[in-house]
Amino acid sequence: MKKEQEKISLFNLVMLGLGSLIGSGWLFGSWEAAKVAGPAAILSWIVGAAVIGIIAYNYIELGTMLPESGGMSKYAQYTHGSLLGFIASWANWISLVTIIPIEAVAAVQYMGTWPWKWAHFTSQFVEHGTITSTGLLMVFAFIIIFTLFNYWSVSLLTRFTSLISVFKVGIPLLTIIMLGLSSFYPGNFGTSLSSFMPYGSAAIFKATTVSGIIFSFNAFQTVINLGSEIQKPRKNIKRGIILSLLISSIIYILLQATFITSISPHMIAEHGWSGINFESPFADLAILLGIHWLSVLLYMDAFVSPFGTGVSFVASTGRALAAMVDNKHLPKILGKVNQKFGIPRIAIVTNSIISMLMVSVFRSWGTLASVVSTATLIAYLTGPVTVISFRKMAPNFTRPVRNSRLRFMAPFAFTLSSLAIYWAMWPTTFEVILIILLGLPLYLYYELKNDWTRTKKQFFSSLWMIFYLVFLTIISYVGSKEFNGLGLIKYPYDFIVIIFVSLGFYYWGTESRLFTKYFKQAQRVNDKVIKPSKTE
């Protein structure tokens, strides 16, 4: 009983999810999206929420069927063998480990705009949107603090994030109310289709990925990766994902609407949506409207929101790296779990060091966010294929949640993930795929050491993914100019090509499933799942 009580409750789980979802995205996203798509940016948030919600739909069945820490790094390996499992877990880990420095950079960038005389020294942290060498030391300090909050226990983590999440939800809601009462120009949405979509319909989809919208919704996997550490996982994984995504979606959409309607029409007429330049978007708006006390709260939240998300993602990233050790493609020491606290301490510290190295090279929020979004979506490509493969390979597995519309939703999620990767634009897709390929030498080394005789069969089981990544790179390069391609395929015909080709690769992937020793591991995990009663 004591052990169950020490696990994460539904309330704490939702707060942990919100603590991850409402981070630097709300501070930057509305402004960035409006610059790209104008008033139509509100549709970008709806599209982004729908894309992530449909992707999450597939993972709910997987997460409740196989409730384990770092689960998202293991599912593909269970159904397709070691290579696909490595690609999925490596891409997922890259996205997670990049979020840690992103949140630290966001906090430091906002510190750099503090208007008070006593805080004048913070202006040297940022220069032209890039972290300086002095600011880098502050970023390192944030990363170390994120790590320390995860170093001792899950209970400390959940108490901290539950408290901070209440603050993180409250400040955006207060901002929506106060800005809405102080400045409300509904005419900013436009009086015609051309004024509502000043940059065309393609900009709606472009903003979904390049403005940090996908990045803002991505954190639902925090719930999945905590797996067996959750009270009543067969019920609470589903509830935690749905509630945290729903609450954050409503907040983000209202924030975008508030941003659009709060700006003076004279400013829009003078600069256009793409020319509006704020250093601290909502705080700058509050100052312009004379709500100085709100600007103070916003500057505080610009510190608190990224801080809470950074703490949450240190937890997820540590478990994701430890899970890769379970897959036998990384040194065993990285998977060592502290017996007293149940925390993968070495993995957490290693991730922090890598985060510091990454931010030393990529010193802007936008660059890091592009890497996160694309790497995450590449990892998500395996989810729909894996959940359908499990249906065929393990029809008798205990499924606390059995999604009735999965036959349609799985290929739909795969197609949407593919489109969202394309929306990231050339050359981001190519650059992220290269980063993923950098992990293959590690894979080959451990396969030579552990299981080389079976690698050939598992390679062919994963061949569809390798060819699909090549296709996504090519279509991004030759696609429409709206998405930074050569324009050999015009918009929206590029979307049509991706939809049809993605369905072909999806069915190839589901038919490439393979029974391996890893599938037996999935059986052992599922054997511990309690079958739902008929009344549930």
Side-chain angles (χ1 to χ4, degrees):
M1 179 63 69
K2 185 179 179 181
K3 187 176 181 181
E4 181 69 13
Q5 288 175 343
E6 290 175 350
K7 292 185 178 181
I8 302 170
S9 67
L10 177 60
F11 175 78
N12 284 334
L13 186 63
V14 173
M15 290 296 103
L16 190 61
L18 289 174
S20 302
L21 285 160
I22 303 176
S24 58
W26 94 267
L27 300 167
F28 292 95
S30 296
W31 169 57
E32 292 279 3
K35 286 177 64 178
V36 173
I42 196 164
L43 298 181
S44 301
W45 287 96
I46 295 171
V47 170
V51 169
I52 294 298
I54 290 166
I55 290 170
Y57 184 88
N58 297 269
Y59 281 101
I60 288 172
E61 180 166 320
L62 286 170
T64 53
M65 183 175 70
L66 301 166
E68 54 183 330
S69 297
M72 291 188 71
S73 297
K74 300 178 182 180
Y75 301 143
Q77 180 167 271
Y78 290 155
T79 57
H80 287 76
S82 61
L83 179 55
L84 187 66
F86 179 83
I87 292 172
S89 59
W90 185 259
N92 188 53
W93 173 73
I94 287 170
S95 70
L96 291 173
V97 80
T98 309
I99 289 175
I100 300 171
I102 277 181
E103 299 304 321
V105 165
V108 172
Q109 279 192 216
Y110 268 79
M111 286 177 67
T113 65
W114 280 354
W116 308 291
K117 289 183 179 179
W118 64 265
H120 181 70
F121 71 96
T122 63
S123 62
Q124 61 186 309
F125 292 165
V126 183
E127 187 175 335
H128 305 300
T130 302
I131 299 295
T132 63
S133 297
T134 305
L136 196 61
L137 295 176
M138 184 60 68
V139 171
F140 288 169
F142 271 100
I143 292 173
I144 291 169
I145 294 169
F146 295 167
T147 302
L148 291 177
F149 267 100
N150 283 271
Y151 197 75
W152 285 286
S153 72
V154 171
S155 60
L156 176 61
L157 167 65
T158 53
R159 283 198 296 269
F160 170 75
T161 52
S162 295
L163 175 63
I164 207 170
S165 295
V166 172
F167 186 81
K168 290 173 67 174
V169 172
I171 296 300
L173 290 175
L174 182 63
T175 301
I176 291 165
I177 294 168
M178 294 309 302
L179 293 184
L181 291 174
S182 303
S183 179
F184 185 60
Y185 299 101
N188 288 351
F189 278 108
T191 55
S192 65
L193 192 61
S194 60
S195 58
F196 178 66
M197 295 191 300
Y199 309 115
S201 59
I204 296 171
F205 302 105
K206 185 192 304 183
T208 301
T209 301
V210 303
S211 300
I213 292 174
I214 292 289
F215 160 71
S216 298
F217 287 123
N218 168 53
F220 80 87
Q221 62 173 291
T222 300
V223 177
I224 297 288
N225 281 323
L226 288 170
S228 57
E229 297 173 53
I230 300 168
Q231 291 178 6
K232 302 177 182 177
R234 62 196 179 97
K235 291 182 179 180
N236 289 341
I237 287 177
K238 179 180 180 179
R239 292 171 179 173
I241 290 174
I242 292 173
L243 288 172
S244 57
L245 271 179
L246 181 62
I247 294 169
S248 59
S249 298
I250 292 170
I251 291 172
Y252 278 127
I253 291 168
L254 288 175
L255 280 166
Q256 183 66 71
T258 301
F259 183 85
I260 291 169
T261 56
S262 295
I263 297 175
S264 166
H266 298 292
M267 183 181 291
I268 300 169
E270 184 178 354
H271 301 286
W273 288 102
S274 61
I276 294 174
N277 189 20
F278 289 134
E279 291 183 349
S280 308
F282 284 107
D284 288 348
L285 267 176
I287 291 172
L288 284 174
L289 297 173
I291 318 172
H292 294 285
W293 64 267
L294 180 61
S295 69
V296 173
L297 280 178
L298 288 166
Y299 279 119
M300 288 175 58
D301 192 64
F303 171 82
V304 172
S305 288
F307 193 90
T309 304
V311 170
S312 297
F313 267 92
V314 167
S316 292
T317 310
R319 287 159 179 79
L321 186 61
M324 290 174 67
V325 175
D326 290 344
N327 297 347
K328 297 183 178 179
H329 290 121
L330 288 177
K332 290 182 179 179
I333 191 171
L334 293 176
K336 187 177 180 181
V337 176
N338 180 273
Q339 295 300 314
K340 182 177 180 180
F341 298 110
I343 302 294
R345 284 182 165 181
I346 296 175
I348 285 173
V349 172
T350 302
N351 285 330
S352 298
I353 294 170
I354 292 171
S355 296
M356 292 179 189
L357 293 174
M358 289 186 67
V359 77
S360 299
V361 178
F362 304 109
R363 298 195 182 189
S364 74
W365 187 89
T367 305
L368 290 166
S370 297
V371 174
V372 172
S373 298
T374 311
T376 301
L377 289 162
I378 289 172
Y380 286 160
L381 287 173
T382 62
V385 171
T386 298
V387 72
I388 290 296
S389 296
F390 265 119
R391 285 276 183 97
K392 297 178 179 180
M393 298 170 72
N396 296 323
F397 267 26
T398 300
R399 288 175 170 82
V401 176
R402 186 179 181 90
N403 293 323
S404 59
R405 299 177 181 86
L406 202 60
R407 292 290 178 182
F408 168 76
M409 295 294 280
F412 190 28
F414 188 89
T415 300
L416 286 178
S417 298
S418 304
L419 287 168
I421 291 168
Y422 178 72
W423 299 339
M425 303 193 302
W426 178 270
T428 301
T429 44
F430 175 64
E431 291 169 347
V432 174
I433 288 169
L434 273 182
I435 292 172
I436 291 170
L437 292 177
L438 288 175
L440 290 183
L442 272 175
Y443 168 79
L444 293 173
Y445 170 78
Y446 281 98
E447 283 297 298
L448 280 169
K449 186 177 180 180
N450 298 323
D451 200 19
W452 183 253
T453 55
R454 302 180 185 179
T455 298
K456 183 177 179 181
K457 185 179 291 186
Q458 297 184 58
F459 173 80
F460 282 108
S461 181
S462 307
L463 202 59
W464 65 272
M465 183 60 155
I466 296 170
F467 275 104
Y468 194 49
L469 292 178
V470 172
F471 163 75
L472 289 172
T473 303
I474 294 172
I475 192 68
S476 181
Y477 181 64
V478 304
S480 62
K481 291 183 178 179
E482 286 85 348
F483 295 91
N484 217 26
L486 294 177
L488 299 182
I489 305 175
K490 306 298 182 184
Y491 171 79
Y493 300 109
D494 46 353
F495 283 24
I496 296 172
V497 171
I498 292 170
I499 289 169
F500 279 101
V501 174
S502 68
L503 289 173
F505 275 98
Y506 163 78
Y507 286 109
W508 181 5
T510 58
E511 293 303 313
S512 297
R513 60 190 182 275
L514 182 69
F515 285 99
T516 65
K517 62 181 182 180
Y518 304 110
F519 180 76
K520 295 179 181 178
Q521 294 177 12
Q523 284 182 310
R524 289 194 289 271
V525 174
N526 186 253
D527 286 342
K528 299 177 183 178
V529 176
I530 301 172
K531 292 184 179 182
S533 64
K534 294 181 180 180
T535 58
E536 290 182 310

